[in-house]
Every structure is written in structure tokens, then in C-alpha cells.
Amino acid sequence: QVQLVESGGGLVQAGGSLRLSCAASERTFSRYVIGWFRQAPGKEREFVAVISTWGGTITYSDSVKGRFTISRDNAKNTVALQMNSLKPEDTAVYFCAAAPNVVFTARLYDYWGKGTQVTVSS
């Protein structure tokens, strides 16, 4: 079983940046696709970005494309989400999740972290 822990959230002004990190306990971390999702109050969990096992495939949602960058370091069992030009509508709890394949639907991910809060003030 893969345990995932997110960190790096916080409060930032619009236009600012944050870097989220997802750390895994499992040595087989490199076998998993890692996705980032977010959930705002009263809304469904939304796909943000995904990176394949060795980083060869990366996909972003249209809402973050050009502003967010996902990357991974399999030697350190971590995936990062660099978020630039943040907007108030990016405010949400951000989750990382692990899946065996590149997918964009939350229910297809097997393991989840507990999330980290990102708040963007206007």
C-alpha cells in the first residue's frame, strides 16, 4: 500500500506562487502514475495534473495549463506541483493520488493523501 503525504499549501495573494510536494513511503513509488486533484467547498474533486511513472507523459487541465508544472523525482519518492500566477479560483484542498495508469478520473486512483489547503486571496 502506498502512503502519500502532501505539503506546501498555504495562503498567497493572487499572482503569487506555491510549490506543493507529494511524498510517498513506498519504495515501488516509480511504478505508480501520480495525479493532483483539487476540491473547493461545495464542488466535486477536480483533476489538475498527472505525470506518468518516469515523467514521459504529463497532462494538465485547461484551467491550470501554462501556470502549473508537475514533476517527479523517483529517487526521492516525491512529486511536485509548482503553481504560478495563482488566482482566487485556485483556492481548494489539493490532493495527490496514485494509480497504475494515466487516468484523469478520481475514482480510478487507488491511493490518496489527506490533502493540503491552498488559499489565494484577491
Side-chain angles (χ1 to χ4, degrees):
Q1 185 171 356
V2 179
Q3 294 184 336
L4 303 172
V5 179
E6 303 92 339
S7 62
L11 173 64
V12 64
Q13 289 187 333
S17 299
L18 282 174
R19 184 177 180 86
L20 304 184
S21 181
C22 174
S25 61
E26 178 60 49
R27 286 183 293 176
T28 58
F29 173 75
S30 63
R31 299 179 185 177
Y32 293 93
V33 169
I34 300 297
W36 283 96
F37 290 79
R38 65 188 182 186
Q39 189 165 18
K43 295 188 176 182
E44 293 186 355
R45 196 162 294 190
E46 173 191 20
F47 166 76
V48 174
V50 63
I51 187 166
S52 59
T53 53
W54 291 96
T57 299
I58 290 174
T59 304
Y60 300 97
S61 68
D62 288 343
S63 61
V64 308
K65 196 176 298 182
R67 301 188 297 123
F68 290 12
T69 302
I70 189 172
S71 61
R72 69 187 295 161
D73 185 339
N74 287 339
K76 297 181 179 179
N77 287 358
T78 58
V79 170
L81 184 69
Q82 177 67 41
M83 307 187 297
N84 299 329
S85 303
L86 283 162
K87 305 175 182 179
E89 50 264 44
D90 293 318
T91 296
V93 177
Y94 283 71
F95 300 88
C96 65
N101 301 297
V102 174
V103 290
F104 312 114
T105 304
R107 63 178 176 83
L108 297 177
Y109 282 74
D110 298 321
Y111 305 105
W112 289 83
K114 294 183 178 180
T116 185
Q117 176 70 47
V118 171
T119 303
V120 184
S121 63
S122 57

